[in-house]
Amino acid sequence: MLEGARVFHVNVNCSDLEAARRFWCDGVGFTVGARTTPVAPQPGASFGLDTAHWDADILVGDHGFGGGAVDSLQWLEPAPVLRPIEHLTTCGLNRLGVFVPDLAAATAAVAQHGGVVWGAPVLHDDEHATVNLAFTSDPDGTIVELIEGGGPRLMFAGITCADLAASIAWYERLGFTQLLRVASERPDAGHLRIDGAVSMHEVIMVPPGRGDVTVMLTGFDQPSVAPSARRPANALGPWRIALAVADLDVVLADLASVGVSVHSDTATLDMGPGLPPVRFVCCSGPDGEVLEFIETPT
């Protein structure tokens, strides 16, 4: 299934592209690899919108376009709506995990460039590894988990699941494989902005084509998770995980074979001056997260 598919970028909608750029570049340490600025509105059916017009930075880490990118996008038409998902216990695509070489330096820089640091770094110790991490928010409130360990580089797209087993099974149908499963219990989860104790499982799912970026599925035993209504494409915060594929028609056949419906017919949209058009299609995962498949022929 989805042979060779890898995460190309994770889209994060912002209300102010320049403020987001300061957070990601001056704060986290990414650089602008490309800017997508279509000159006019285009049909938006593939996003569930009447029209689609945006201005966006494609932000890359230390592996450049060979690694995963952040598609920091400001909607021009229609205008941005809602707030990002601001609680880890709310279902859906709600956070990004990012490797940084120096956690203390990164949290200080994020705080100076429009971000909010939730608290002091936390040492997370389990049977697999010991990592130093800190939770932050971007200027709009999108959750960004900083993990010390190299980079800067996008590490994962995080999804909180209403039914963890069902979400794992759905991604396995698409050809993702489990890399790691970590169980965590803490009597005090203040560093996660959760009152009281927490009991959770995090499962790292690797796309068929591997690559730098994984999908982190999270299930909570305690506290209970909150459902999230389907979010429109112009909602602030993370909205879609884009996977690069060699042949979109093969992907459509693969998705149909496992009963996954796409949002619309395939679309080809202009990306702006100097950039090739992009052919793609979107579908929804079990918790409302959107997967976008972008054709990038070898």
Side-chain angles (χ1 to χ4, degrees), residues 103 107 119-124 131-135 145-148 191-192:
L103 186 61
T107 53
V122 173
L123 198 64
H124 179 83
V131 295
N132 200 23
L133 59 87
F135 280 82
E145 181 179 349
L146 303 178
I147 303 104
E148 192 166 60
H191 69 292
L192 303 177

PDB file of all heavy atoms in Angstrom, residues 103 107 119-124 131-135 145-148 191-192:
ATOM      1  N   LEU A 103      18.036  22.355  23.726  1.00  0.00           N
ATOM      2  CA  LEU A 103      16.681  22.663  24.180  1.00  0.00           C
ATOM      3  C   LEU A 103      16.617  23.987  24.920  1.00  0.00           C
ATOM      4  O   LEU A 103      15.683  24.768  24.718  1.00  0.00           O
ATOM      5  CB  LEU A 103      16.164  21.528  25.068  1.00  0.00           C
ATOM      6  CG  LEU A 103      14.707  21.641  25.502  1.00  0.00           C
ATOM      7  CD1 LEU A 103      13.776  21.629  24.300  1.00  0.00           C
ATOM      8  CD2 LEU A 103      14.342  20.521  26.463  1.00  0.00           C
ATOM      9  N   THR A 107      14.171  26.976  23.587  1.00  0.00           N
ATOM     10  CA  THR A 107      13.037  27.513  24.347  1.00  0.00           C
ATOM     11  C   THR A 107      13.212  29.012  24.592  1.00  0.00           C
ATOM     12  O   THR A 107      12.248  29.775  24.524  1.00  0.00           O
ATOM     13  CB  THR A 107      12.857  26.770  25.679  1.00  0.00           C
ATOM     14  OG1 THR A 107      14.100  26.769  26.409  1.00  0.00           O
ATOM     15  CG2 THR A 107      12.403  25.340  25.453  1.00  0.00           C
ATOM     16  N   GLY A 119       6.480  25.530  30.258  1.00  0.00           N
ATOM     17  CA  GLY A 119       7.113  25.345  31.553  1.00  0.00           C
ATOM     18  C   GLY A 119       8.543  24.870  31.378  1.00  0.00           C
ATOM     19  O   GLY A 119       9.077  24.832  30.266  1.00  0.00           O
ATOM     20  N   ALA A 120       9.167  24.507  32.488  1.00  0.00           N
ATOM     21  CA  ALA A 120      10.552  24.043  32.443  1.00  0.00           C
ATOM     22  C   ALA A 120      10.654  22.740  31.654  1.00  0.00           C
ATOM     23  O   ALA A 120       9.702  21.957  31.600  1.00  0.00           O
ATOM     24  CB  ALA A 120      11.067  23.835  33.865  1.00  0.00           C
ATOM     25  N   PRO A 121      11.800  22.485  31.007  1.00  0.00           N
ATOM     26  CA  PRO A 121      11.990  21.214  30.314  1.00  0.00           C
ATOM     27  C   PRO A 121      11.753  20.021  31.246  1.00  0.00           C
ATOM     28  O   PRO A 121      11.959  20.104  32.457  1.00  0.00           O
ATOM     29  CB  PRO A 121      13.447  21.277  29.853  1.00  0.00           C
ATOM     30  CG  PRO A 121      13.745  22.741  29.751  1.00  0.00           C
ATOM     31  CD  PRO A 121      12.959  23.377  30.867  1.00  0.00           C
ATOM     32  N   VAL A 122      11.328  18.919  30.646  1.00  0.00           N
ATOM     33  CA  VAL A 122      11.017  17.698  31.392  1.00  0.00           C
ATOM     34  C   VAL A 122      11.866  16.572  30.839  1.00  0.00           C
ATOM     35  O   VAL A 122      12.011  16.416  29.617  1.00  0.00           O
ATOM     36  CB  VAL A 122       9.525  17.346  31.270  1.00  0.00           C
ATOM     37  CG1 VAL A 122       9.236  15.990  31.895  1.00  0.00           C
ATOM     38  CG2 VAL A 122       8.667  18.421  31.918  1.00  0.00           C
ATOM     39  N   LEU A 123      12.444  15.774  31.729  1.00  0.00           N
ATOM     40  CA  LEU A 123      13.200  14.599  31.319  1.00  0.00           C
ATOM     41  C   LEU A 123      12.234  13.417  31.246  1.00  0.00           C
ATOM     42  O   LEU A 123      11.650  13.017  32.260  1.00  0.00           O
ATOM     43  CB  LEU A 123      14.320  14.322  32.321  1.00  0.00           C
ATOM     44  CG  LEU A 123      15.455  13.411  31.837  1.00  0.00           C
ATOM     45  CD1 LEU A 123      16.213  14.061  30.685  1.00  0.00           C
ATOM     46  CD2 LEU A 123      16.405  13.097  32.985  1.00  0.00           C
ATOM     47  N   HIS A 124      12.039  12.906  30.038  1.00  0.00           N
ATOM     48  CA  HIS A 124      11.138  11.771  29.841  1.00  0.00           C
ATOM     49  C   HIS A 124      11.969  10.502  29.730  1.00  0.00           C
ATOM     50  O   HIS A 124      12.805  10.363  28.845  1.00  0.00           O
ATOM     51  CB  HIS A 124      10.305  11.964  28.577  1.00  0.00           C
ATOM     52  CG  HIS A 124       9.377  10.826  28.287  1.00  0.00           C
ATOM     53  ND1 HIS A 124       8.149  10.707  28.879  1.00  0.00           N
ATOM     54  CD2 HIS A 124       9.509   9.744  27.478  1.00  0.00           C
ATOM     55  CE1 HIS A 124       7.546   9.612  28.452  1.00  0.00           C
ATOM     56  NE2 HIS A 124       8.358   9.006  27.603  1.00  0.00           N
ATOM     57  N   VAL A 131      14.814  11.281  27.054  1.00  0.00           N
ATOM     58  CA  VAL A 131      14.846  12.472  26.223  1.00  0.00           C
ATOM     59  C   VAL A 131      14.464  13.691  27.055  1.00  0.00           C
ATOM     60  O   VAL A 131      13.687  13.601  28.004  1.00  0.00           O
ATOM     61  CB  VAL A 131      13.905  12.355  25.007  1.00  0.00           C
ATOM     62  CG1 VAL A 131      14.368  11.263  24.066  1.00  0.00           C
ATOM     63  CG2 VAL A 131      12.470  12.099  25.443  1.00  0.00           C
ATOM     64  N   ASN A 132      15.032  14.816  26.674  1.00  0.00           N
ATOM     65  CA  ASN A 132      14.737  16.094  27.302  1.00  0.00           C
ATOM     66  C   ASN A 132      13.806  16.866  26.364  1.00  0.00           C
ATOM     67  O   ASN A 132      14.113  17.034  25.180  1.00  0.00           O
ATOM     68  CB  ASN A 132      16.039  16.865  27.523  1.00  0.00           C
ATOM     69  CG  ASN A 132      15.910  17.946  28.571  1.00  0.00           C
ATOM     70  OD1 ASN A 132      15.040  17.891  29.428  1.00  0.00           O
ATOM     71  ND2 ASN A 132      16.782  18.935  28.522  1.00  0.00           N
ATOM     72  N   LEU A 133      12.663  17.300  26.866  1.00  0.00           N
ATOM     73  CA  LEU A 133      11.672  17.925  25.985  1.00  0.00           C
ATOM     74  C   LEU A 133      10.960  19.077  26.691  1.00  0.00           C
ATOM     75  O   LEU A 133      10.979  19.190  27.913  1.00  0.00           O
ATOM     76  CB  LEU A 133      10.660  16.890  25.493  1.00  0.00           C
ATOM     77  CG  LEU A 133       9.842  16.119  26.538  1.00  0.00           C
ATOM     78  CD1 LEU A 133       8.577  16.862  26.933  1.00  0.00           C
ATOM     79  CD2 LEU A 133       9.478  14.735  26.022  1.00  0.00           C
ATOM     80  N   ALA A 134      10.340  19.910  25.881  1.00  0.00           N
ATOM     81  CA  ALA A 134       9.551  21.025  26.402  1.00  0.00           C
ATOM     82  C   ALA A 134       8.405  21.291  25.439  1.00  0.00           C
ATOM     83  O   ALA A 134       8.567  21.179  24.219  1.00  0.00           O
ATOM     84  CB  ALA A 134      10.400  22.280  26.560  1.00  0.00           C
ATOM     85  N   PHE A 135       7.246  21.633  25.999  1.00  0.00           N
ATOM     86  CA  PHE A 135       6.094  21.978  25.180  1.00  0.00           C
ATOM     87  C   PHE A 135       6.003  23.493  25.023  1.00  0.00           C
ATOM     88  O   PHE A 135       6.201  24.246  25.985  1.00  0.00           O
ATOM     89  CB  PHE A 135       4.812  21.430  25.801  1.00  0.00           C
ATOM     90  CG  PHE A 135       4.592  19.969  25.517  1.00  0.00           C
ATOM     91  CD1 PHE A 135       5.227  18.999  26.274  1.00  0.00           C
ATOM     92  CD2 PHE A 135       3.775  19.566  24.469  1.00  0.00           C
ATOM     93  CE1 PHE A 135       5.041  17.654  26.009  1.00  0.00           C
ATOM     94  CE2 PHE A 135       3.585  18.221  24.189  1.00  0.00           C
ATOM     95  CZ  PHE A 135       4.220  17.264  24.952  1.00  0.00           C
ATOM     96  N   GLU A 145       6.072  20.551  20.222  1.00  0.00           N
ATOM     97  CA  GLU A 145       6.885  19.854  21.215  1.00  0.00           C
ATOM     98  C   GLU A 145       8.342  19.866  20.745  1.00  0.00           C
ATOM     99  O   GLU A 145       8.652  19.374  19.651  1.00  0.00           O
ATOM    100  CB  GLU A 145       6.394  18.419  21.386  1.00  0.00           C
ATOM    101  CG  GLU A 145       7.158  17.612  22.415  1.00  0.00           C
ATOM    102  CD  GLU A 145       6.640  16.191  22.574  1.00  0.00           C
ATOM    103  OE1 GLU A 145       5.553  15.884  22.031  1.00  0.00           O
ATOM    104  OE2 GLU A 145       7.328  15.383  23.231  1.00  0.00           O
ATOM    105  N   LEU A 146       9.211  20.442  21.545  1.00  0.00           N
ATOM    106  CA  LEU A 146      10.635  20.500  21.228  1.00  0.00           C
ATOM    107  C   LEU A 146      11.355  19.370  21.942  1.00  0.00           C
ATOM    108  O   LEU A 146      11.217  19.219  23.167  1.00  0.00           O
ATOM    109  CB  LEU A 146      11.225  21.846  21.649  1.00  0.00           C
ATOM    110  CG  LEU A 146      10.574  23.101  21.054  1.00  0.00           C
ATOM    111  CD1 LEU A 146      11.242  24.355  21.609  1.00  0.00           C
ATOM    112  CD2 LEU A 146      10.636  23.087  19.531  1.00  0.00           C
ATOM    113  N   ILE A 147      12.130  18.585  21.190  1.00  0.00           N
ATOM    114  CA  ILE A 147      12.839  17.432  21.742  1.00  0.00           C
ATOM    115  C   ILE A 147      14.330  17.613  21.459  1.00  0.00           C
ATOM    116  O   ILE A 147      14.735  17.821  20.300  1.00  0.00           O
ATOM    117  CB  ILE A 147      12.352  16.111  21.119  1.00  0.00           C
ATOM    118  CG1 ILE A 147      10.838  15.942  21.331  1.00  0.00           C
ATOM    119  CG2 ILE A 147      13.099  14.927  21.697  1.00  0.00           C
ATOM    120  CD1 ILE A 147      10.019  16.201  20.104  1.00  0.00           C
ATOM    121  N   GLU A 148      15.140  17.548  22.486  1.00  0.00           N
ATOM    122  CA  GLU A 148      16.585  17.719  22.300  1.00  0.00           C
ATOM    123  C   GLU A 148      17.170  16.461  21.663  1.00  0.00           C
ATOM    124  O   GLU A 148      16.973  15.358  22.144  1.00  0.00           O
ATOM    125  CB  GLU A 148      17.259  17.996  23.648  1.00  0.00           C
ATOM    126  CG  GLU A 148      18.688  18.479  23.533  1.00  0.00           C
ATOM    127  CD  GLU A 148      19.196  19.046  24.842  1.00  0.00           C
ATOM    128  OE1 GLU A 148      19.209  18.288  25.842  1.00  0.00           O
ATOM    129  OE2 GLU A 148      19.546  20.236  24.897  1.00  0.00           O
ATOM    130  N   HIS A 191       3.174  19.688  33.023  1.00  0.00           N
ATOM    131  CA  HIS A 191       3.971  20.081  31.859  1.00  0.00           C
ATOM    132  C   HIS A 191       3.197  19.897  30.560  1.00  0.00           C
ATOM    133  O   HIS A 191       3.568  20.461  29.526  1.00  0.00           O
ATOM    134  CB  HIS A 191       5.274  19.283  31.825  1.00  0.00           C
ATOM    135  CG  HIS A 191       5.097  17.828  31.517  1.00  0.00           C
ATOM    136  ND1 HIS A 191       4.477  16.959  32.397  1.00  0.00           N
ATOM    137  CD2 HIS A 191       5.455  17.078  30.431  1.00  0.00           C
ATOM    138  CE1 HIS A 191       4.453  15.744  31.871  1.00  0.00           C
ATOM    139  NE2 HIS A 191       5.039  15.796  30.687  1.00  0.00           N
ATOM    140  N   LEU A 192       2.104  19.111  30.610  1.00  0.00           N
ATOM    141  CA  LEU A 192       1.238  18.924  29.452  1.00  0.00           C
ATOM    142  C   LEU A 192      -0.008  19.801  29.518  1.00  0.00           C
ATOM    143  O   LEU A 192      -0.912  19.664  28.693  1.00  0.00           O
ATOM    144  CB  LEU A 192       0.797  17.456  29.353  1.00  0.00           C
ATOM    145  CG  LEU A 192       1.900  16.398  29.264  1.00  0.00           C
ATOM    146  CD1 LEU A 192       1.283  15.007  29.255  1.00  0.00           C
ATOM    147  CD2 LEU A 192       2.760  16.613  28.031  1.00  0.00           C
TER     148      LEU A 192
END
